[in-house]
Every structure is written in structure tokens, then in C-alpha cells.
Amino acid sequence: MTDITGVLAKADTNLDASLERLFDLVRIPSISTDPAYKDACRKAAEWLVADLLGLGFTASVRDTPGHPMVVAHHEGATTEAPHVLFYGHYDVQPVDPLSLWETDPFTPSVRELSPGRKVITGRGTSDDKGQLMTFVEACRAHKETHGSLPCRVTVLFEGEEESGSPSLKPFLTANAKELKADYALVCDTGMWDSETPAISAGLRGLVGEEVVVTAADRDLHSGMFGGAAANPIHILSRILAGLHDETGRVTLDGFYDGVEETPTQIKAAWETLGQTAEKMLGEIGLAIPSGEEGRSVLELIWARPTAEVNGITGGYTGEGFKTVIASKASAKISFRLVGQQDPDAIRTAFRDYVRAHIPADCSVEFHEHGGSPAIQLPYDSSLLNTAKSALSDEWPKAAVIIGMGGSIPIVGDFQKMLGMESLLVGFGLSDDRIHSPNEKYDLQSFHKGIRSWVRILDALAGAR
Amino acid sequence: MTDITGVLAKADTNLDASLERLFDLVRIPSISTDPAYKDACRKAAEWLVADLLGLGFTASVRDTPGHPMVVAHHEGATTEAPHVLFYGHYDVQPVDPLSLWETDPFTPSVRELSPGRKVITGRGTSDDKGQLMTFVEACRAHKETHGSLPCRVTVLFEGEEESGSPSLKPFLTANAKELKADYALVCDTGMWDSETPAISAGLRGLVGEEVVVTAADRDLHSGMFGGAAANPIHILSRILAGLHDETGRVTLDGFYDGVEETPTQIKAAWETLGQTAEKMLGEIGLAIPSGEEGRSVLELIWARPTAEVNGITGGYTGEGFKTVIASKASAKISFRLVGQQDPDAIRTAFRDYVRAHIPADCSVEFHEHGGSPAIQLPYDSSLLNTAKSALSDEWPKAAVIIGMGGSIPIVGDFQKMLGMESLLVGFGLSDDRIHSPNEKYDLQSFHKGIRSWVRILDALAGAR
């Protein structure tokens, strides 16, 4: 380890310029799931390449069948230090409904949310542009202070994380040699709270499915056919209502195969965090946990699998009323997986269940939207302990090891395809409204996030 | 009765000009349910007033809090003949999804659907502009032949039929003296088949409800909250799935109060019509009746009450995938009523049922979209028998008395508020695709529909 006081000071004096750079990136509406924003996705990739080139990386935009990757390399000050691969994603979620945004999603600004608490507003500020820039700015502070980076660094930014990462596996396979490092650093997660940094050790997997039920070959007048012709909204409602039983368990055959009970000592550690349903759900206007009965909210989101309908549409949904029986109704459904649940088996069980509930004269189509198993990282490793210590030096409270409700499929791919252990550190907060209108990132998350990576890079270099 | 050969010949020679007038009316996009088309609705009313003035009616556009009414009067040739009120509606359904239309909905044309079968295409051609113009053109043929009408005629055209007729009752109340006639003639129904005219004697009532379920106060990331936070789409799906039991019966408390079994002789008469589930549902790509078990399709649509979801929406419904848990989900639901079912009681039972299934930390809102009881007209009256005979003279097969699945609330209002018996005659066919893309009206329906009204007006004048 070197003296990092100067590097931290540099991160502090750079802050205004760091913010300007983040603003530039947020202004690019890189919504990966909507084809209308294809050019914006490429523009975001090109912006990142230009910034990394300016930092002395060799960097390039790398085409894929979908949105491009950004890959960059920089040598470390010594060959003793480990080689790290840093991963983030430059794509963002759609912004609808736009009417609920208080500021333009692609015109970032710094606002005072409450006295003394400043936040950066805009789509992607938290997920994941603000987060990935904490690492880039940490590299800049090291480079501008010492003319070098403490570790050899490879950067991989993708542009399809919010739409199922279809190009990622083929890209890792084709570029395995170039991308293989000692450790992967992933910055797409959150803090425990605004004073307590967190390292995520368990991540749920994901299966995404879209189902389209078709009844009659045209929309019908409900007066002329109602009561005799099949209504696809009724069929779909029954199917979706049947996905859970009265205790909140998912009813699909074999759904819980590979799901193990969380070890008692881990549940006990989570209990010390003091989280309650009232606290967690109170923040979003709710009070009663809606999932499996008899489990804490942390267990529900960190260690239990789910089935959630993410969208549904059918028939007339405009203003006023239209007495129509629709020809089609459709829903988007995602399953969060834990333990050893098999994404393919769950997709098959879901499709079998749906098909069994479609009347003989109706039909159903499925569209696949990504699938990845859950990940459980070791609770005790040198990488994790080094990072835990570095984070605890920066923040008011010591870092905690937590689970995570979301899915970051790349972590499994890094493990399986490149044999790399991942470190999941991020600075998001639970009120960041990611995927929702009025997404924000705390200015403190950005600033101390940069300082955190300064410390972690330095600690990893010294740990060897 | 006079010699009507000349009037019928005039209707024939007028046909091309009659079509041009109908085209002018269809070109006006008078979609009543969408506020964007408010001016178009008024324009349609003004067009009708101008046309009726040209025919010698006293006619005017009459303002309401919603879209205006058209009211017109014309004396009859003798005071012996009955005074008839003719009702139709100039408003039309929305046209979405526009991409499914083969011709522009508001650019009418005549096309050959199959060899020898010509149809008029466009929104409103069948429901109800083409139908109401059959009556106007019949008046024109009488007037141009004899310089007079055989009966005294009052015309009432409304512009809110497709959006629940909110202004109708107050207008009838305020103008009861002006609108009261001996009989009401309503042209908004269909033929039994293309050779067999029909008079509708039973009409189902309608209750329209929109329900909006709110869970969290914002859209949530399904990874961060999935499995713990309430999902309004799940809640709504369970509510909608629970509206019917396994035998297809509606489960609301007291729903079947006031529903009587159809008399055996009426069911027997319907059986002679030779309708089957295979035939009726085969036309729309289906095969299996989906309503109450053990009843014929004619009974299901003419004599049984229903609950149908006409639209549902919630969460992300755009392209691709978004792992969101929505804050809100909503559905539009309509109930078709028969016999003595009470619209208010059914609305209350529905709301009570929904509220009982909303978790304590979630909320629900209701929006009312119209309500009217069912109507049963006498199966045997002088009005009905006169019209039956006149229709049978015009068409290849004798007219039949049928039930009707749809709702025409005005018929009940005419009965209750103005003490008038209604005659429901129309020339729509089951493949007219009303309320759907590619609505059409058979050229024969239009032409022989005009001739039918020529005969009915003449027969009514002679029947006294």
C-alpha cells in the first residue's frame, strides 16, 4: 500500500469536474430495451471510450449483434498487484411514465432533497452510470496523483444489462483470454444504509417470460358475443392468479427444487441489521409483506424465489369505455431464483402450467426474456475481507455482508466462464428509485464512492 | 296504405346519391369517448341537421354538457297516421389498433367482399351511421315521390351512445313533451342472417365499471422489492379470476337476483333457428362456448347475464422487458343484465367484492361507466306485427323475433320516461366487425334497409 492521502485529496478537488463528466454521460438517453434509442446506446459507448482513452487506457467500442461493449486496458504500477476486471453497464431503463418525472430524466442536475442532502437526478444516475463513473474517477485520481494505477485494470462496460444481456455470453466466450483477470469488481449494487457500505454475497437469478393469449381472431362486441366467446383477459387472469397459493408460495411444479433454507447463523446476522417490514415497506407506502408467509422481509428479498407479473395489457385501455372482448391479452412475468434453481426447468414448468390452462380453441405464444441462475459468493475470502476493511475506513460505519434481491447474471458468467471471483460493491440507496420516475444518486454516494474505489484499488495492490 | 311502388323506385334511383351522403357522414371521425374528437362530434351533428333541413324537417343541434343532440320534426300527410320518434346515434367507437385496418376507417369505400357481395367500409358504417341513414333516405324517397311523409316523424340522434349516454336522460326529461310520440323506432340492431330480417324483443342491460388498484406509492424494482411488496397486477388478477366459478357463473353476491329462466316455448323457437356454437363461434375462430355450462349460445347471449373484462393494463407493456412492480393496475369491466337485475345493486355487489379482496395497505378506486337495466319488449303487439309483415315483404325470408346480446339503454328510457313502446329493427350482420378494425355494412343492408323503412312507415300509416 502507498500513501493514498494525496489520491483522496485529488478525488475531492476533482469532484466538480467528475460531476460534469457524469452529467455528460447521463444526457445520452441510452435505453437499451427500446430500438428507438439504438444510436444513443452507441453514443454512450463512444463517450466512455473517449474518456478512458483520455485517462491513458487502450480502449475501444466493440460491436456485438446488439448494443456495443466497451473494453479498455491499463497496466498497473507493479506486476505484483492483482489484475482486476471492472464491470458496469451504460444502458438505462425506459423512462415511462414521463409525466411523473419532476425533472427531465436526461437533463441531470444536483438538487437538495432535504437539508444537507444533495442528490444527482436523472435516469441512470444510480443504475448504473453514476456507479460505474465512481470507478473511472477513482482511476483518474490515482493516475493524476501518481501517473499510474496501483493494479492492472481491464474495464468491461455493456449496453444490454437492462434488456437481458443477450450479447454478453458470446462476447465473454469470444474474448475470454483478453478479459480474464484475477478478480472481477462489479459496481451495480447498494449500501445497507447511507452510513453503512455493503458487499453483496448472494444474488437472485432471473427468468423472464412474456405470454400472449389469443382467443377469437378479432376483437368482439361484448354485447354480441359476451357470455359465449372466450375472453383472453379472463384466461390470463386465472393463469396469473393461480401462480401463487394462499400462503404466497409459487405453485409451479418443481419450483422449489434446489431452494435450500437459509443457514441459521446467516438469518441471525440479518436480524441484527434491525430491518422490519414496517420500515422497509413503509418507505414505499406499504406495510404488509405480500410474499411467503412466516419469513422476514430480508429473507424474502435475499433468499427466497418469487414470481412477479411486471406488466399486463389487453382490450381497451384508453380513456372512457369500450365494450369489447379482446382477441389477445399479454403479460410479462419474471421469476427471481435462489440456490440451485434451474432457469430452464422453471421456464418449462411455467410454459407447461400456462398451456394446461388454455382452452382447446384458444392459443398461446411465449417470448423468452433472459434467464440466469442465482449466485452465492463465499462469505469469507481474502478479496472480500480486503474490500470490507477498505470500505470501513471510508464510511462512518463498518461494511456489512448482505444478500441481494436483484439479478446480476454477469457474476455467474465470470465464475463459470472466466473462473473469476467477483466483488460486488455499490453505493446505491433504497430510495434511489431505480427503474422508476425520478431516479437519483446521492452526491455522497458518488463522492465517497470514488474515494472507496481509491482505497479498494490501493488495498488490493497491497494485499499481495 | 298508399301505393309505394313509386317510393321504392325512388329509393333505388337515389342509391348512388344516398351512398355519397353516407360517405360524407362517415368521413367525420365522431369518436365520442375520446375528448380529442369533440369538434368532430359536433360537426357530425351539424351535418345531420343540414341534411334534415334540406328534407324539409325543422332541425337543430341541441347542446348538452357532453356531445350535442340532433332533434328534427316533420308533419305527416294525415293526422290519422301515428307519430313516430326515430332514434339513432352519430357517434362511433375508437379505431385502435389502427394498424389492423385494411382501409382508412374514415375514408369510406365500396368493396367487393366476395363475388356479388358489396360492402361499405369504414368506422360507423354499421354502428350506427349507415343504419340511421337508411331511415333518413327512406324519408327522402317518400318526400321526393309524394311531397310528404306518411307519418309524422320526430328524429333524435345522440352523440354519446358509445360512451354511456351520460346526457340522454336529462335531455329526455327536459324535452319530454317535444319528444313524446306514439312509437319509437330504433335502428341499431342486426338481421338474423343476410336473407332474414329480425326484430329484437329482448335487450340486455349494462353496468360499466373501471377499477384502479394501487399498492406501493411508486413503481418498484422487482429485484429489490419482489416477494415482499404487494403487486397490484396480482391483486387485480385474483379479483378478476374470482368473478366466475368453474361452471362459468358469476360469483357476486345476489348477481342472479331477478334473473328468470327463459320460457320453454321461446327457447324452442330459438332452437328452430338452427344456430350452434360451432357455427356462431366458428366465424370468429373459436369453437367452445365459454359462459355458463349447459346453455345454448343463443340463450347465453340473449337471455343470460355476464361479467366481461373489456380492458386491463398495468406495469410495463412496451417493447422488451422491464423488471418493475407497478404502483397501479386497472381494468374496465362490464356486466350485461337480463330480466329484473338491478344495475345499482350489481354495481354495489361488485365494489363490495373488490374491496373485500384489497389488502389492508393497498387501495382501490372505482369509476362508473353507465348503467341500465335489461329490457323485454312484448313478443306480440300491433307495432311488432305490422313491422314484421312489412319486413317480410321486402326480404327473401320472413322476419323473426329474436333476443339481443347488446344494450340499448334508450329503449328502457323511452318506456319509463316517455311511455313509448319501441320497435327495434336494424340491418347489421354478424360479420360487420362493429367496435373492431375493418367495420363494414353490406351494400344490400343499406339499400334494402332504406326500402324496409319505406315499407314500415307506409304500413304504420295504414295500420291506424
Side-chain angles (χ1 to χ4, degrees):
Chain A
M1 279 191 277
T2 56
D3 178 7
I4 57 164
T5 317
V7 186
L8 292 171
K10 176 62 77 178
D12 295 346
T13 53
N14 275 357
L15 185 60
D16 285 348
S18 302
L19 261 179
E20 284 306 320
R21 282 184 286 267
L22 173 58
F23 280 18
D24 281 347
L25 181 56
V26 170
R27 282 186 196 106
I28 306 171
S30 45
I31 301 169
S32 59
T33 201
D34 186 339
Y37 295 90
K38 188 169 188 287
D39 290 348
C41 289
R42 174 165 292 272
K43 197 175 156 198
E46 286 167 350
W47 186 95
L48 285 162
V49 164
D51 194 50
L52 290 164
L53 286 170
L55 265 177
F57 280 78
T58 56
S60 56
V61 172
R62 307 279 283 266
D63 285 334
T64 74
H67 302 300
M69 304 279 174
V70 170
V71 177
H73 301 284
H74 197 295
E75 285 308 306
T78 85
T79 54
E80 308 289 298
H83 172 195
V84 298
L85 170 74
F86 180 85
Y87 165 88
H89 64 91
Y90 66 77
D91 64 320
V92 300
Q93 283 275 323
V95 296
D96 55 284
L98 192 57
S99 60
L100 297 184
W101 284 81
E102 288 162 15
T103 61
D104 183 87
F106 299 113
T107 306
S109 63
V110 171
R111 308 178 92 196
E112 194 157 28
L113 195 66
S114 56
R117 184 177 177 200
K118 289 185 177 168
V119 300
I120 311 163
T121 64
R123 173 56 90 222
T125 49
S126 176
D127 184 18
D128 183 45
K129 289 172 174 175
Q131 301 243 61
L132 71 84
M133 287 303 289
T134 60
F135 184 84
V136 173
E137 296 297 333
C139 290
R140 194 182 322 270
H142 270 293
K143 192 77 187 281
E144 290 182 358
T145 309
H146 295 303
S148 64
L149 297 184
C151 300
R152 180 178 161 199
V153 173
T154 294
V155 165
L156 172 66
F157 295 143
E158 75 158 318
E160 301 179 321
E161 201 272 344
E162 302 294 5
S163 49
S165 299
S167 307
L168 192 61
K169 279 189 196 185
F171 191 82
L172 292 184
T173 304
N175 301 281
K177 202 170 161 200
E178 178 181 358
L179 296 172
K180 166 86 175 106
D182 296 311
Y183 303 127
L185 311 179
V186 177
C187 190
D188 196 17
T189 54
M191 314 254 297
W192 169 249
D193 61 27
S194 63
E195 300 196 316
T196 318
I199 301 174
S200 302
L203 294 97
R204 291 196 289 190
L206 182 70
V207 168
E209 281 278 285
E210 186 170 357
V211 50
V212 184
V213 176
T214 302
D217 59 13
R218 70 199 73 167
D219 286 355
L220 306 172
H221 186 299
S222 77
M224 291 174 64
F225 288 97
N231 184 325
I233 303 176
H234 296 192
I235 298 166
L236 187 60
S237 294
R238 284 194 293 268
I239 287 169
L240 299 178
L243 273 176
H244 296 87
D245 70 15
E246 286 173 13
T247 69
R249 278 174 71 88
V250 176
T251 56
L252 298 183
D253 275 354
F255 185 75
Y256 290 93
D257 291 354
V259 179
E260 289 187 4
E261 285 298 320
T262 310
T264 313
Q265 72 273 23
I266 292 177
K267 285 206 228 183
W270 291 346
E271 269 169 35
T272 66
L273 293 171
Q275 183 61 298
T276 63
E278 291 69 26
K279 259 199 264 182
M280 177 181 148
L281 298 177
E283 283 181 19
I284 53 168
L286 293 173
I288 309 165
S290 75
E292 290 176 87
E293 284 176 9
R295 299 182 185 274
S296 76
V297 282
L298 288 186
E299 193 184 359
L300 285 173
I301 59 167
W302 287 349
R304 298 301 299 176
T306 67
E308 293 285 347
V309 185
N310 304 115
I312 187 167
T313 185
Y316 184 69
T317 60
E319 274 203 63
F321 209 85
K322 188 171 166 180
T323 52
V324 68
I325 298 180
S327 167
K328 289 174 193 291
S330 68
K332 298 179 203 264
I333 297 125
S334 60
F335 299 91
R336 299 278 172 183
L337 312 188
V338 304
Q340 301 299 314
Q341 279 181 299
D342 175 354
D344 294 334
I346 283 169
R347 193 185 303 283
T348 301
F350 173 69
R351 293 184 175 190
D352 288 348
Y353 161 76
V354 172
R355 285 197 191 98
H357 289 79
I358 299 291
D361 58 347
C362 298
S363 64
V364 61
E365 272 171 55
F366 297 95
H367 302 283
E368 180 173 336
H369 287 281
S372 62
I375 306 293
Q376 184 63 51
L377 296 170
Y379 275 96
D380 191 21
S381 73
S382 135
L383 173 65
L384 187 134
N385 288 327
T386 302
K388 191 175 174 187
S389 167
L391 284 166
S392 301
D393 289 345
E394 173 63 25
W395 294 83
K397 294 189 180 165
V400 293
I401 313 300
I402 63 171
M404 237 194 92
S407 301
I408 307 186
I410 184 97
V411 176
D413 297 332
F414 286 158
Q415 181 68 50
K416 273 185 303 186
M417 301 172 70
L418 304 182
M420 284 191 290
E421 181 184 344
S422 292
L423 175 73
L424 275 67
V425 168
F427 310 98
L429 293 173
S430 62
D431 64 355
D432 280 353
R433 295 176 178 258
I434 66 170
H435 295 207
S436 295
N438 301 312
E439 181 175 346
K440 62 83 180 162
Y441 195 48
D442 274 44
L443 183 58
Q444 176 178 270
S445 291
F446 187 60
H447 183 189
K448 291 178 84 69
I450 297 167
R451 292 173 51 100
S452 295
W453 286 119
V454 165
R455 291 182 190 274
I456 291 171
L457 281 177
D458 186 68
L460 287 175
R464 274 250 175 130
Chain B
M1 279 192 278
T2 56
D3 178 7
I4 55 165
T5 315
V7 186
L8 292 171
K10 177 62 78 176
D12 296 345
T13 53
N14 273 359
L15 184 60
D16 285 348
S18 301
L19 261 178
E20 282 308 318
R21 283 184 286 268
L22 173 58
F23 280 17
D24 281 348
L25 181 57
V26 171
R27 282 187 196 103
I28 306 170
S30 46
I31 301 169
S32 60
T33 201
D34 186 339
Y37 295 90
K38 188 167 188 292
D39 291 348
C41 289
R42 175 165 291 273
K43 198 175 156 201
E46 287 167 349
W47 186 95
L48 284 162
V49 164
D51 194 49
L52 290 163
L53 287 171
L55 264 177
F57 280 77
T58 55
S60 56
V61 171
R62 306 280 283 268
D63 285 333
T64 76
H67 302 299
M69 303 282 174
V70 170
V71 177
H73 301 284
H74 196 294
E75 287 306 306
T78 86
T79 54
E80 309 290 295
H83 173 194
V84 298
L85 171 73
F86 180 84
Y87 165 87
H89 64 89
Y90 65 76
D91 63 321
V92 300
Q93 283 275 322
V95 296
D96 56 281
L98 194 56
S99 60
L100 296 185
W101 284 80
E102 287 161 15
T103 60
D104 183 86
F106 299 113
T107 307
S109 63
V110 171
R111 307 179 93 196
E112 193 157 27
L113 197 64
S114 54
R117 185 176 176 200
K118 288 185 177 168
V119 300
I120 311 163
T121 64
R123 173 57 91 224
T125 49
S126 175
D127 183 17
D128 184 44
K129 290 171 173 174
Q131 303 241 61
L132 71 84
M133 288 303 289
T134 59
F135 184 83
V136 174
E137 295 297 335
C139 291
R140 194 182 322 269
H142 270 293
K143 192 77 187 283
E144 291 183 357
T145 309
H146 295 303
S148 64
L149 297 186
C151 301
R152 180 177 160 199
V153 173
T154 294
V155 165
L156 173 64
F157 294 143
E158 75 159 317
E160 300 178 323
E161 200 274 345
E162 302 293 4
S163 51
S165 299
S167 308
L168 192 61
K169 278 188 198 187
F171 191 81
L172 291 185
T173 304
N175 300 279
K177 202 170 160 201
E178 178 182 358
L179 296 172
K180 166 85 175 106
D182 297 309
Y183 303 125
L185 311 179
V186 176
C187 190
D188 196 17
T189 54
M191 314 254 295
W192 169 250
D193 61 29
S194 63
E195 300 196 316
T196 317
I199 301 175
S200 301
L203 293 97
R204 293 195 288 191
L206 181 71
V207 167
E209 280 280 282
E210 185 169 358
V211 50
V212 184
V213 176
T214 302
D217 59 13
R218 72 200 70 167
D219 286 354
L220 306 172
H221 186 300
S222 77
M224 291 175 65
F225 287 97
N231 182 327
I233 303 178
H234 296 192
I235 297 166
L236 187 59
S237 295
R238 284 194 293 266
I239 287 168
L240 299 179
L243 274 176
H244 296 86
D245 69 14
E246 285 173 14
T247 69
R249 277 175 73 89
V250 176
T251 57
L252 297 182
D253 275 354
F255 184 75
Y256 290 92
D257 291 354
V259 178
E260 289 187 6
E261 284 300 317
T262 309
T264 312
Q265 71 274 24
I266 292 178
K267 284 205 228 182
W270 290 346
E271 269 170 35
T272 66
L273 293 172
Q275 183 62 295
T276 63
E278 291 68 28
K279 259 199 262 181
M280 178 181 146
L281 298 176
E283 282 181 19
I284 53 169
L286 293 172
I288 308 165
S290 77
E292 290 176 86
E293 286 176 7
R295 297 182 186 273
S296 75
V297 283
L298 289 186
E299 193 183 359
L300 286 172
I301 59 167
W302 287 349
R304 300 298 302 175
T306 67
E308 294 283 346
V309 185
N310 304 116
I312 188 167
T313 185
Y316 183 69
T317 59
E319 274 203 63
F321 210 86
K322 189 169 165 182
T323 52
V324 66
I325 298 181
S327 167
K328 289 175 191 292
S330 67
K332 298 181 204 263
I333 297 127
S334 61
F335 299 91
R336 298 279 171 182
L337 313 187
V338 304
Q340 302 299 314
Q341 281 180 299
D342 176 354
D344 294 335
I346 283 170
R347 194 186 303 285
T348 301
F350 174 69
R351 293 184 175 189
D352 288 349
Y353 161 77
V354 172
R355 286 196 190 96
H357 289 81
I358 300 290
D361 58 347
C362 299
S363 64
V364 62
E365 272 172 56
F366 298 94
H367 302 282
E368 180 174 335
H369 288 280
S372 62
I375 306 293
Q376 183 64 52
L377 297 171
Y379 275 97
D380 191 20
S381 73
S382 134
L383 172 65
L384 187 134
N385 287 327
T386 302
K388 192 175 171 187
S389 167
L391 284 166
S392 301
D393 288 344
E394 173 64 26
W395 294 83
K397 294 188 181 165
V400 293
I401 312 301
I402 64 172
M404 238 195 91
S407 303
I408 307 186
I410 183 96
V411 175
D413 296 332
F414 285 158
Q415 179 69 51
K416 274 185 303 188
M417 301 171 71
L418 304 183
M420 282 191 290
E421 181 185 344
S422 292
L423 174 73
L424 275 68
V425 168
F427 309 98
L429 292 174
S430 62
D431 64 354
D432 279 354
R433 296 174 177 261
I434 66 170
H435 296 207
S436 297
N438 302 313
E439 180 175 349
K440 62 86 181 161
Y441 195 46
D442 274 43
L443 184 57
Q444 176 178 272
S445 292
F446 187 60
H447 183 190
K448 290 177 86 69
I450 296 168
R451 292 172 52 100
S452 296
W453 286 119
V454 165
R455 292 180 189 273
I456 292 171
L457 281 177
D458 186 68
L460 287 174
R464 275 247 174 134

